[in-house]
Amino acid sequence: MGFSIGMNGLGIMAMGITQLDRLLISKVLTLESLGYYTLAYTATTAISMILSALMPLVAAAHASNERE
């Protein structure tokens, strides 16, 4: 149970840091710049998720010595 509480705490803290980041940037940048920042952040997150989803396929191909 302690592990679960720790993992939930990390998740909540990560979410808070992400939102705090946007809050601080919104105070420094214009709304248009914040939009570009959010778009770039979302694109980076999407690319990371796609690469994470493809990792098992890449690992399986590497294990079977497929080089294409």
Side-chain angles (χ1 to χ4, degrees):
M1 181 157 170
F3 178 75
S4 297
I5 292 171
M7 291 303 292
N8 282 329
L10 285 174
I12 291 170
M13 194 166 59
M15 185 177 61
I17 289 171
T18 301
Q19 297 305 316
L20 180 65
D21 180 35
R22 292 180 186 172
L23 179 67
L24 291 174
I25 288 176
S26 72
K27 299 296 182 194
V28 175
L29 300 177
T30 63
L31 187 59
E32 181 181 5
S33 297
L34 179 62
Y36 287 127
Y37 173 80
T38 303
L39 178 65
Y41 179 80
T42 303
T44 303
T45 303
I47 291 170
S48 176
M49 290 176 142
I50 291 169
L51 292 176
S52 294
L54 292 176
M55 190 58 67
L57 294 173
V58 172
H62 181 71
S64 66
N65 290 325
E66 294 179 20
R67 298 294 180 204
E68 295 181 21

